Amino acid sequence: GREPGSPRERCVMPCLPSPRRWLPAAAIVALSIGAVAGGDGCRLASLHLRFKSSPVDLSPAFAPDRFNYSATLDWSMESFSVDAAAASGCMTDKVPFRAIAVPEGESYGVEIFAKAPTASAGQPYAISVRRLKGTETVLKRLRVMGAALEPGFNPLQRLYQATLPVGVDFIKVGYVLQDAGQQIRIVATAQGAAASSTTLPA
């Protein structure tokens, strides 16, 4: 650029050929950074999976700058559909237009893109979807209200101990099934010499 205001314009940095308009160095740097940061830069604005009208959770939860996800279908969910929308000024690409069947116990990978309308490539988003076999007997979550489990909950751990405080006469158990088609049987056994067993409906 050149510093005007004197009979002779002197160069303070490599001069650009006339007749371009000269800009201070800071302005030139800012323009360059903006062009690089903008680039294609397209992202998805939303991403959802579903089985028919039932939502399927993504892990982790969707965020425009997260590009890898997994999801689990209940055994009764024979397929899944992908719903995606691109951010303003962008478009989606390779989004399946029909439901994708997944055999029980198997996985299916999908890769979709957010890109500029004139671009040949874009930002990929990868999704791995697994369907349960129907024979799983583990829980996703388990807790006893008012007591801590010992050891802490692990889906593969089957035996726990929980101590309730004095004055609590009823056990309240909370759990989340891994597969919505699972059935739970709760058996209560009194401890002591006169022990008895009672089966309670889940």
Side-chain angles (χ1 to χ4, degrees):
R2 298 179 177 176
E3 288 187 348
S6 64
R8 293 179 301 172
E9 292 180 324
R10 63 185 182 87
C11 293
V12 295
M13 60 178 293
C15 297
L16 299 176
S18 180
R20 297 182 182 177
R21 183 177 180 181
W22 315 121
L23 296 172
I28 295 175
V29 172
L31 289 175
S32 299
I33 292 175
V36 173
D40 183 338
C42 279
R43 299 289 186 269
L44 292 180
S46 64
L47 176 62
H48 303 280
L49 264 59
R50 58 182 170 83
F51 167 66
K52 297 181 179 180
S53 60
S54 300
V56 177
D57 291 338
L58 286 173
S59 179
F62 171 74
D65 288 321
R66 290 181 183 147
F67 308 123
N68 292 279
Y69 298 90
S70 62
T72 301
L73 300 177
D74 288 346
W75 173 79
S76 61
M77 296 179 173
E78 301 169 350
S79 63
F80 70 96
S81 300
V82 180
D83 299 320
S88 177
C90 302
M91 61 179 290
T92 59
D93 190 24
K94 307 295 185 184
V95 178
F97 59 88
R98 65 179 64 178
I100 298 173
V102 182
E104 58 187 48
E106 296 189 13
S107 298
Y108 193 97
V110 175
E111 190 172 58
I112 65 175
F113 298 83
K115 68 175 189 175
T118 58
S120 59
Q123 173 61 56
Y125 289 78
I127 311 166
S128 177
V129 180
R130 179 176 68 96
R131 181 183 172 192
L132 298 177
K133 295 181 293 184
T135 58
E136 292 83 2
T137 59
V138 300
L139 298 175
K140 292 175 66 175
R141 292 183 180 84
L142 173 68
R143 65 171 179 152
V144 175
M145 281 64 165
L149 294 179
E150 182 60 41
F153 175 71
N154 182 317
L156 300 180
Q157 176 72 28
R158 302 294 181 137
L159 183 63
Y160 299 92
Q161 180 174 326
T163 302
L164 293 171
V166 175
V168 176
D169 297 322
F170 297 94
I171 302 172
K172 296 181 180 180
V173 179
Y175 56 86
V176 177
L177 301 175
Q178 184 184 50
D179 187 336
Q182 289 174 319
Q183 296 182 345
I184 292 291
R185 184 180 67 171
I186 299 177
V187 177
T189 302
Q191 302 296 309
S196 62
S197 177
T198 303
T199 300
L200 305 175

